Amino acid sequence: MPDRVERADITLQALCRDLLRSEDASKHLARIADSPVAPKGALHFGCLLDLAKKSDGALR
């Protein structure tokens, strides 16, 4: 049986996948290119980084 951290990771990954499959995901991701502080764009980009296991990707 997975512990709390593993369950949280599974839940986070599922939420990220659902968010990135939403109809407006590409719109939010495109917006972050123009405004790096766009909250919804940053959320979607963070989900991409998490699913790609690139935790330091936003720093480069």
Side-chain angles (χ1 to χ4, degrees):
M1 174 179 266
D3 65 14
R4 290 175 65 186
V5 172
E6 290 171 335
R7 286 193 312 266
D9 185 51
I10 291 166
T11 300
L12 177 61
Q13 288 181 23
L15 289 170
C16 284
R17 283 191 301 272
D18 287 347
L19 184 70
L20 292 172
R21 289 181 182 139
S22 68
E23 289 182 25
D24 55 353
S26 61
K27 176 179 69 173
H28 292 303
L29 286 167
R31 191 173 297 146
I32 199 170
D34 296 327
S35 176
V37 294
K40 289 184 180 180
L43 175 64
H44 286 73
F45 187 62
C47 283
L48 280 175
L49 292 175
D50 184 66
L51 290 173
K53 303 296 183 208
K54 300 290 184 183
S55 60
D56 65 338
L59 300 175
R60 294 182 179 186

